Amino acid sequence: MAPILNGEVDIVIPTIRSLDFLENWRPFFEPYHLIIIQDGDPTKVIKVPQGFDYELYNRDDINRILGPKASCISFKDGACRCFGFLVSKKKFIYTIDDDCFVAKDPSGKDIDALAQHLDNLTKPSTPYFFNTLYDPYREGADFVRGYPFSLREGVPTAVSHGLWLNIPDYDAPTQLVKPRERNTRYVDAVMTIPKGTLYPMCAMNLAFNRELVGPAMYFGIMGDGQPLGRYDDMWAGWCSKVVCDHLGYGVKTGLPYLWHSKASNPFVNLKKEFKGLFWQEEMIPFFQSVVLPKECTNAQQCYLELAKMVKEKLGPIDPYFHNFAAAMVTWIEAWEEFNAPAKAKIDSVKSA
């Protein structure tokens, strides 16, 4: 398992409540720095258990720090977490929801989810040829007969997507028809998602290499005042995957598991998701058809090209996507202010 890289990791947590759940994670999280994004009422006092190294930002802080660019950070939605990605200076980000707890493996041992994510991120991925023993870099595994030797070095891993026991991550219609369903199956596997294949990314148990793909981990404008919710992490997943495919990075899914403790209200979720259930049938083919120009050599440049495409291809569906594309550009402008500048031409996107 990966060593403790406490100087290279930030844990980003969006919340509307006091963070008592951190007591459950204390053995694993205490060595690391936390960035807490308080959603909702900024006057509410969020209590954090003693002993944790953290910084906390509320909406007033976001508005003060970003000024007019604060419009790209969602309000009353888990997408607010991406402000933590923006202000972090660490190589790796782990983000987790406040209703998630330490799970146990089949032997009854507590799972150190962060350590497994770091193990995934610090070992290569194999997006160009599928290995039937899944992750060949894991102890006790290797490349099977017939796997090309020229591809065995792998590529850098940019995203580690973890899973959950107990409450599944379902959309509202599936919640309504399967209200008592629980995920009890622990699959002891990590695999690389093949190049050209999208997946539904869930942010409740997610880690990524901020240096490689951070600018593409934008969760969009959703929640308060927007016609769409609960697609924030999936949007970031689709964007980051096409960017990873273009730049030659890998995305892993599987271990680690955590324990998802409670289901959100399916009727509230249905209201948030309603338009997305129709729009996704056009959003997903859009992302499947994306071809980024070879001149895009980093995540910032790729994301600005995606913003152009969103405006052109998804804009006709609804004016929301025009606003979304503008927010994508604003996000990159903010990223450039907080991070080393890339060669992206933001002005050219604005004039497009």
Side-chain angles (χ1 to χ4, degrees):
M1 202 62 72
I4 291 178
L5 303 172
N6 54 357
E8 298 185 69
V9 181
D10 275 333
I11 301 173
V12 175
I13 306 169
T15 192
I16 58 171
R17 59 183 64 87
S18 293
L19 296 180
D20 297 331
F21 92 113
L22 285 173
E23 288 292 356
N24 184 245
W25 289 98
R26 186 179 291 277
F28 306 121
F29 286 3
E30 203 166 25
Y32 297 94
H33 179 66
L34 313 181
I35 300 177
I36 300 164
I37 310 300
Q38 177 181 345
D39 198 16
D41 182 3
T43 65
K44 182 177 179 180
V45 176
I46 299 292
K47 296 180 180 178
V48 181
Q50 290 186 342
F52 288 94
D53 172 34
Y54 72 94
E55 52 191 303
L56 188 151
Y57 298 92
N58 61 30
R59 190 67 203 190
D60 290 342
D61 298 320
I62 294 171
N63 291 339
R64 173 178 52 82
I65 292 168
L66 290 184
K69 294 184 179 67
S71 61
C72 74
I73 305 297
S74 297
F75 183 59
K76 294 186 178 179
D77 189 272
C80 67
R81 79 181 77 220
C82 63
F83 180 77
F85 309 161
L86 184 69
V87 299
S88 171
K89 300 300 180 188
K90 304 292 177 59
K91 181 176 182 178
F92 300 112
I93 295 284
Y94 177 47
T95 186
I96 182 175
D97 287 355
D98 62 9
D99 61 351
C100 295
F101 295 86
V102 177
K104 295 184 182 294
D105 67 19
S107 72
K109 181 182 178 182
D110 285 349
I111 297 169
D112 184 347
L114 181 50
Q116 177 66 56
H117 276 299
L118 293 174
D119 191 60
N120 293 345
L121 289 169
T122 53
K123 291 179 180 176
S125 291
T126 53
Y128 302 120
F129 202 92
F130 189 80
N131 191 54
T132 50
L133 283 181
Y134 305 119
D135 191 344
Y137 307 102
R138 189 176 177 187
E139 185 177 354
D142 209 327
F143 293 96
V144 297
R145 180 171 56 90
Y147 200 99
F149 287 92
S150 60
L151 296 177
R152 294 189 182 195
E153 186 178 346
V155 302
T157 301
V159 181
S160 173
H161 178 254
L163 300 175
W164 5 260
L165 296 171
N166 195 35
I167 304 295
D169 183 34
Y170 284 159
D171 54 38
T174 309
Q175 280 185 290
L176 288 166
V177 298
K178 295 183 174 182
R180 295 182 178 85
E181 184 156 292
R182 299 293 181 265
N183 181 34
T184 59
R185 187 175 61 166
Y186 179 99
V187 180
D188 188 10
V190 176
M191 66 185 73
T192 298
I193 300 173
K195 181 181 180 181
T197 301
L198 298 175
Y199 72 111
M201 189 179 84
C202 173
M204 75 173 82
N205 182 19
L206 175 72
F208 60 92
N209 185 320
R210 185 178 176 277
E211 295 177 356
L212 297 182
V213 79
M217 279 292 180
Y218 175 51
F219 280 48
I221 45 169
M222 301 197 186
D224 195 51
Q226 304 297 334
L228 184 62
R230 283 174 56 82
Y231 276 82
D232 51 346
D233 46 4
M234 286 182 285
W235 179 273
W238 299 330
C239 288
S240 59
K241 184 58 166 64
V242 298
V243 169
C244 285
D245 285 352
H246 175 77
L247 295 176
Y249 303 141
V251 176
K252 291 184 178 182
T253 187
L255 301 179
Y257 284 87
L258 48 64
W259 183 266
H260 186 205
S261 66
K262 64 181 181 181
S264 48
N265 186 309
F267 296 100
V268 173
N269 291 346
L270 184 60
K271 185 176 179 180
K272 295 178 179 179
E273 294 173 359
F274 186 73
K275 289 191 175 183
L277 296 173
F278 297 96
W279 289 347
Q280 72 180 13
E281 302 307 319
E282 299 191 57
M283 288 191 287
I284 293 172
F286 161 73
F287 281 106
Q288 289 174 324
S289 67
V290 164
V291 177
L292 293 167
K294 62 182 181 180
E295 291 77 18
C296 293
T297 57
N298 61 39
Q300 289 99 314
Q301 294 169 341
C302 289
Y303 206 70
L304 289 174
E305 285 296 322
L306 273 176
K308 289 182 186 177
M309 296 177 185
V310 168
K311 182 178 180 180
E312 177 186 351
K313 302 293 187 182
L314 297 182
I317 298 173
D318 191 275
Y320 168 66
F321 289 102
H322 287 279
N323 297 334
F324 205 121
M328 293 169 72
V329 176
T330 302
W331 163 258
I332 294 298
E333 288 179 333
W335 189 275
E336 294 293 342
E337 287 186 14
F338 280 81
N339 300 277
K343 297 177 182 178
K345 305 283 188 186
I346 293 174
D347 290 339
S348 67
V349 177
K350 283 184 165 180
S351 61

